[in-house]
Amino acid sequence: MRILLFGPPGVGKGTQAQLLTEKYDMVRLSSGDLLREEVSLSSPIGKKVEQFLRKGHLVPDDIIYELVDSFLLENKESDILFDGFPRNLNQARSLEKSLAQLGQTIDIAFEMYLDEEDLIKRLTDRRYCPKCGRIYNSTTNPPKTEGICDVDRVKLSRREDDNPDVIKRRLTIYKDETRPLVNYYKSLNIYRRIDAKGNQEEVLGRISEAVNGHIDNKCRSN
Ligand code: AMP
């Protein structure tokens, strides 16, 4: 199964991706996480992309393809959840091609949506564990002890790009570059829209309903 999550920054893709991969035993491809890892390793790719991430601009497609294609090859036997990739139409077409070479297709493309005021609040309140990557939010998903990861007991951090100016830029880039994916995936008949309001279990319930329906249909047609 190949599932894709897209939506504006702050909509909760990362949180849902974490929950879905556990629930359906999938591997997760988060292009943002792959890029942040390169930056933290100060690798040649990391050095090239650091400024793009800091400013909230999209990283050039060829760098993304390099990371994604090697991930796809390493994980060709696994069910994959794509989180934050593709981010534009060229990336979407490239993903189709790369999957086709492996004899695979995307099963469902979920667009998560939320109004802008809630997005900005979620991004402003977002924290993450630098050790395990778990995502917290002081209002919607607080840790048991303020500022500390429930699992690793280390101090939570704030992403450098979760600041007001960069948040604005990322939202604009989303509207201009990523939202056109809606029509693209509608035309492929795999588009589903998910209301991201509410707590993480409610949102997970909405996505799971669609995934379970898809799995049932697949079983029936086999
Ligand atoms: P995310 O963790 O998905 O919010 O991504 C954080 C940042 O990484 C974005 O603001 C971009 O700078 C970069 N990024 C992540 N995924 C992509 C992608 N598929 N294409 C281009 N840039 C990306």
Side-chain angles (χ1 to χ4, degrees), residues 4 7 16-17 27 44-46 111 120 153 156 170 172 177 207:
L4 193 151
Q16 291 304 318
V27 293
I45 289 187
E111 181 205 19
I120 292 172
R153 311 300 306 158
L156 299 180
R170 286 159 63 210
T172 306
E177 307 247 354
I207 300 177

Side-chain angles (χ1 to χ4, degrees), residues 2-215:
R2 308 274 171 285
I3 290 180
L4 193 151
L5 284 185
F6 70 101
V11 79
K13 294 185 297 292
T15 303
Q16 291 304 318
Q18 237 165 32
L19 298 170
L20 288 163
T21 47
E22 281 164 24
K23 183 164 178 174
Y24 294 101
D25 195 20
M26 306 176 87
V27 293
R28 170 181 176 197
L29 186 159
S30 159
S31 44
D33 282 354
L34 290 177
L35 292 164
R36 279 184 288 276
E37 197 182 327
E38 297 291 331
V39 172
S40 72
L41 295 170
S42 285
S43 69
I45 289 187
K47 286 185 186 137
K48 274 194 217 160
V49 302
E50 198 171 1
Q51 288 303 320
F52 290 93
L53 267 76
R54 182 168 295 144
K55 293 183 183 153
H57 290 295
L58 290 186
V59 167
D61 290 344
D62 54 339
I63 298 181
I64 299 290
Y65 299 154
E66 202 179 318
L67 293 174
V68 169
D69 285 344
S70 63
F71 182 97
L72 290 179
L73 274 179
E74 277 164 32
N75 293 283
K76 59 181 173 199
E77 305 300 335
S78 308
D79 290 336
I80 302 181
L81 191 130
F82 295 93
D83 159 17
F85 171 81
R87 282 288 228 278
N88 59 33
L89 283 172
N90 282 339
Q91 292 185 10
R93 293 190 188 109
S94 160
L95 176 61
E96 294 283 311
K97 267 196 210 145
S98 302
L99 287 177
Q101 278 165 8
L102 299 168
Q104 299 168 353
T105 52
I106 298 163
D107 293 77
I108 317 177
F110 287 108
E111 181 205 19
M112 296 173 65
Y113 71 93
L114 195 64
D115 58 55
E116 193 155 317
E117 204 180 313
D118 287 335
L119 290 174
I120 292 172
K121 174 135 186 53
R122 281 195 190 175
L123 288 167
T124 313
D125 293 348
R126 172 161 78 176
R127 300 291 181 274
Y128 73 96
C129 170
K131 194 162 172 209
C132 68
R134 271 188 180 71
I135 303 159
Y136 296 91
N137 187 291
S138 54
T139 38
T140 54
N141 177 32
K144 292 189 182 99
T145 311
E146 199 187 322
I148 304 289
C149 176
D150 294 346
V151 180
D152 298 299
R153 311 300 306 158
V154 300
K155 200 166 174 288
L156 299 180
S157 301
R158 185 172 187 191
R159 270 173 52 169
E160 206 182 336
D161 57 353
D162 281 346
N163 73 65
D165 286 344
V166 181
I167 288 173
K168 257 197 192 157
R169 183 174 304 131
R170 286 159 63 210
L171 287 170
T172 306
I173 289 175
Y174 176 75
K175 284 181 205 150
D176 294 346
E177 307 247 354
T178 313
R179 273 221 94 219
L181 294 182
V182 169
N183 284 336
Y184 180 74
Y185 287 121
K186 273 185 185 167
S187 75
L188 296 181
N189 246 339
I190 53 172
Y191 170 78
R192 296 294 290 255
R193 193 161 193 249
I194 296 288
D195 183 356
K197 224 177 171 64
N199 64 39
Q200 54 186 51
E201 279 73 29
E202 287 168 326
V203 181
L204 178 66
R206 289 175 205 134
I207 300 177
S208 302
E209 209 180 302
V211 174
N212 294 342
H214 178 77
I215 294 172

